[in-house]
Amino acid sequence: MDDVVRRTFFRAMPCVSDELSRMPLSGWNESVFRYFFCRSLSEAHPDVTQFVECDRIDLVLHRAEEKAFIEFKFYLRAPKFDPYTGRRSGLKGGPGPRNLDEFRRCVDQLHGRKPVHGLSKYIVLVYADPIGGSTTANRYSTHYDDYAHWNEKISLDPMPFR
């Protein structure tokens, strides 16, 4: 299942790039990215059964005796708008300790799921930093490019895609 998940991720990314001309990244969230991932998976591997939002896991995959639990994290410092005027009113969230704690909790929760034979666990983290201007502290890359989890028993295998 590992090869299926990794290849699907790399097949889905160009679809994301193609869509950016139609819909700016600021209008996206993790569900949109999950859609592209699931569509790419179903096209290439129709034998894999997909369960979306299954027992608080973003995506569960089954194929014969293999299973995969996948959590999607999509981080973007999107603008906020006033609903009455449509004027920009700041930015939503962003990189920092609170965001990093959320990610750590996700890793811990996924790791805490009961291990069974044939089960793989994944976190697909996609983030976008602004081009230029932003200080190092206000960049997702500062927190996630060389991320090491607090629990040394948990190892993450990054697959950078730029």
Side-chain angles (χ1 to χ4, degrees):
M1 188 68 82
D2 187 63
D3 193 41
V4 168
V5 171
R6 289 173 187 269
R7 284 196 322 242
T8 299
F9 173 76
F10 284 109
R11 269 194 317 277
M13 290 308 292
C15 298
V16 169
S17 296
D18 292 347
E19 288 296 318
L20 290 175
S21 64
R22 292 180 197 90
M23 179 63 157
L25 196 58
S26 61
W28 290 47
N29 61 29
E30 66 189 44
S31 295
V32 175
F33 182 75
R34 182 179 63 201
Y35 165 78
F36 286 107
F37 184 92
C38 290
R39 185 178 77 180
S40 178
L41 178 66
S42 66
E43 289 171 353
H45 301 280
D47 60 321
V48 175
T49 305
Q50 302 179 39
F51 303 96
V52 175
E53 297 291 336
C54 181
D55 193 27
R56 308 194 92 183
I57 303 168
D58 289 338
L59 181 62
V60 174
L61 307 178
H62 285 201
R63 182 176 71 178
E65 297 301 314
E66 297 176 294
K67 293 169 186 45
F69 293 175
I70 304 174
E71 289 291 336
F72 290 88
K73 293 293 176 193
F74 190 86
Y75 295 148
L76 168 70
R77 191 104 196 250
K80 288 193 300 189
F81 296 94
D82 180 284
Y84 296 99
T85 65
R87 287 191 205 117
R88 194 169 164 166
S89 62
L91 295 170
K92 293 180 179 180
R98 197 164 138 191
N99 178 266
L100 192 55
D101 284 344
E102 175 191 318
F103 183 75
R104 287 180 180 139
R105 277 192 306 278
C106 177
V107 173
D108 289 338
Q109 288 172 350
L110 190 59
H111 179 262
R113 292 277 181 170
K114 178 178 71 172
V116 296
H117 176 73
L119 174 63
S120 302
K121 301 173 187 177
Y122 302 89
I123 297 175
V124 176
L125 170 62
V126 176
Y127 61 84
D129 280 326
I131 297 172
S134 183
T135 66
T136 304
N138 289 332
R139 300 182 71 77
Y140 290 108
S141 56
T142 302
H143 300 285
Y144 298 107
D145 278 1
D146 298 315
Y147 178 82
H149 198 66
W150 66 270
N151 181 344
E152 307 87 39
K153 294 179 183 178
I154 298 175
S155 64
L156 301 176
D157 179 18
M159 299 182 341
F161 185 90
R162 297 185 194 271

